[in-house]
Amino acid sequence: MITSKPIKTDEKQLACDVLVVGAGIVGLWIARLAVRAGHTVILLDSRSSGSGASGGLLGALMPHMPERWNPKKQYQFEALAGLADAVRALEAETGMDCGYRRCGRLIPLAKPHHHELARQRQAEVQHLWQSADTGFEWRVLAAPQAADWPARAAMPHGLVHETLAARVSPRLYLSALKAAVEAEATLLEGEGMVRWDPASRHLTTSRGRTICAETTILSAGHETFALLGALLSRPAAEFGTAVKGQAALLQAGLSDDRPLLFHDGVYLVPHEAGLVAVGSTSETDFAEARATDARLDALIERATALCPSIAGAQVVERWAGLRPKAIRRDPMIGAVPGKAGLLVATGGFKITLGIAHAMAASVLDFAGGGAGVSLPDSFRVENHLR
């Protein structure tokens, strides 16, 4: 159970109720919710907050396809449905804009059977997405409202317009979360975890400091897998891996009131000030984690063919980073077996940005002695560690 005690302020030894290792989107949400629950919190990051996959460019918040419904899809649906209120509360508290918009998503239908499947899903969504109450819909259309978004050739059998998807500016979102957390918690940047002693629950940092916490939560993205490996004397690859993604931000001069677009692995996400984010690759074979290359060039070419509206747009930024993919693909959340006081929340891969607040709430439920009733079995730590 989490108990409350004040943070010590001497230079070499600190203490808190909750210690969070990793200040990405999930770690920041854990810290925010823990502070709001009345706990003292220290947030530790080996580099800087949001310096990993959380600080990317895309910002697409998309639901799973409404078919073969399962607890995983329900969990994500509830998280996406509730994110608007969570972001509004964050913006009101900090006075900072997160670039959030419930923009919806367009999915071109390239083959005849895609059209038939889309029609079937249209009926299923009314129940699965609780359309009568939420207003979230899945509609099959003959053409989009905006010309060349996408090009006619990309949608010979029409397209889907679903209204649950949203977008957010990852960096604005992170900045607001960081501001909210720093107001009430201790954030230590450039200071990573070296070891954790299960007997004393003391963590030693890369700067030689000791932090004593009743609860320690590992949420350091793909680096969590190596931390777990060291603690459990198992190879990091048994817990998950890092998948490289590349994306670009273009100044296309387009209005941001259009839906985001997803087709055949290509994302186009309109943001404010005429910007459009294009992503993203999924690379398991790479030499340099943070370097962009010809794969991104090819992705931009595919995006331009899909939406000629961005042709000739200036490339404002190219980005590459590593996303955490847990061994069973789903997020890894819960208490680490045999390590009292140690928990983990990571591995969401492409859906993390949209469910980070829910992941944080789930892991804190475990920290408080709960059983994570709403958490899908496939997300639970014990299922990943088998």
Side-chain angles (χ1 to χ4, degrees):
M1 297 287 289
I2 297 174
T3 57
S4 181
K5 55 180 177 290
I7 292 180
K8 297 178 181 178
T9 57
D10 61 281
E11 184 178 354
K12 286 296 182 181
Q13 185 167 358
L14 303 173
C16 61
D17 299 334
V18 179
L19 171 61
V20 185
V21 180
I25 190 71
V26 178
L28 286 167
W29 264 112
I30 294 170
R32 173 173 167 76
L33 296 183
V35 163
R36 295 179 75 183
H39 306 302
T40 54
V41 177
I42 294 176
L43 189 58
L44 189 72
D45 197 286
S46 60
R47 292 184 295 275
S48 60
S49 58
S51 60
S54 299
L57 302 174
L58 205 58
L61 308 171
M62 304 193 314
H64 288 293
M65 288 295 178
E67 60 180 1
R68 297 189 296 275
W69 205 249
N70 56 34
K72 169 184 174 178
K73 294 187 177 185
Q74 182 66 27
Y75 184 93
Q76 191 211 28
F77 167 78
E78 293 175 3
L80 290 175
L83 183 57
D85 288 341
V87 170
R88 290 191 193 102
L90 178 63
E91 290 177 332
E93 178 182 329
T94 61
M96 301 170 69
D97 178 30
C98 294
Y100 178 90
R101 187 185 186 109
R102 182 82 69 183
C103 58
R105 169 179 54 163
L106 298 178
I107 308 172
L109 303 173
K111 298 179 181 180
H113 73 277
H114 293 165
H115 182 90
E116 295 305 316
L117 284 173
R119 285 290 185 191
Q120 294 172 21
R121 291 168 181 163
Q122 182 171 290
E124 293 170 354
V125 159
Q126 300 299 313
H127 168 66
L128 296 175
W129 290 4
Q130 306 162 36
S131 298
D133 296 324
T134 64
F136 302 138
E137 297 181 331
W138 175 284
R139 296 174 291 176
V140 180
L141 307 176
Q145 292 182 338
D148 287 337
W149 193 266
R152 174 67 66 174
M155 41 170 242
H157 300 280
L159 75 164
V160 168
H161 182 199
E162 59 91 349
T163 61
L164 172 56
R167 52 89 165 162
V168 70
S169 168
R171 293 171 186 176
L172 293 179
Y173 187 20
L174 284 165
S175 293
L177 274 171
K178 181 179 178 181
V181 167
E182 281 190 304
E184 299 184 88
T186 300
L187 174 60
L188 304 176
E189 297 181 299
E191 189 165 1
M193 168 181 162
V194 174
R195 59 184 172 273
W196 181 81
D197 180 14
S200 64
R201 300 190 184 184
H202 286 187
L203 182 146
T204 304
T205 77
S206 56
R207 294 186 180 179
R209 285 201 277 199
T210 298
I211 303 176
C212 178
E214 188 70 19
T215 298
T216 296
I217 303 175
L218 305 181
S219 187
H222 71 92
E223 294 176 0
T224 305
F225 306 135
L227 296 175
L228 275 176
L231 287 165
L232 299 178
S233 300
R234 292 168 59 178
E238 291 189 9
F239 308 111
T241 187
V243 179
K244 180 178 178 179
Q246 298 187 49
L249 193 63
L250 312 181
Q251 178 49 261
L254 301 177
S255 62
D256 69 341
D257 59 353
R258 61 189 66 203
L260 67 87
L261 183 60
F262 174 74
H263 179 60
D264 195 23
V266 178
Y267 301 76
L268 289 100
V269 184
H271 288 281
E272 296 174 358
L275 296 170
V276 175
V278 174
S280 59
T281 64
S282 292
E283 307 167 36
T284 56
D285 181 18
F286 53 87
E288 297 182 46
R290 296 177 177 268
T292 61
D293 54 33
R295 296 184 186 185
L296 180 55
D297 298 329
L299 189 69
I300 296 172
E301 288 182 10
R302 291 179 61 201
T304 303
L306 183 61
C307 292
S309 303
I310 68 170
Q314 175 191 1
V315 178
V316 177
E317 182 179 351
R318 296 162 64 92
W319 177 89
L322 299 180
R323 296 165 294 189
K325 183 178 180 182
I327 193 67
R328 296 188 181 275
R329 299 182 65 88
D330 292 343
M332 179 189 295
I333 302 170
V336 179
K339 304 292 181 181
L342 183 68
L343 297 94
V344 61
T346 193
F349 194 35
K350 293 183 179 181
I351 66 172
T352 301
L353 194 64
I355 68 169
H357 60 301
M359 292 175 63
S362 293
V363 77
L364 286 172
D365 179 45
F366 282 110
V373 174
S374 65
L375 193 69
D377 286 343
S378 62
F379 286 21
R380 296 174 182 270
V381 167
E382 54 268 29
N383 286 327
H384 286 274
L385 299 188
R386 286 174 183 158

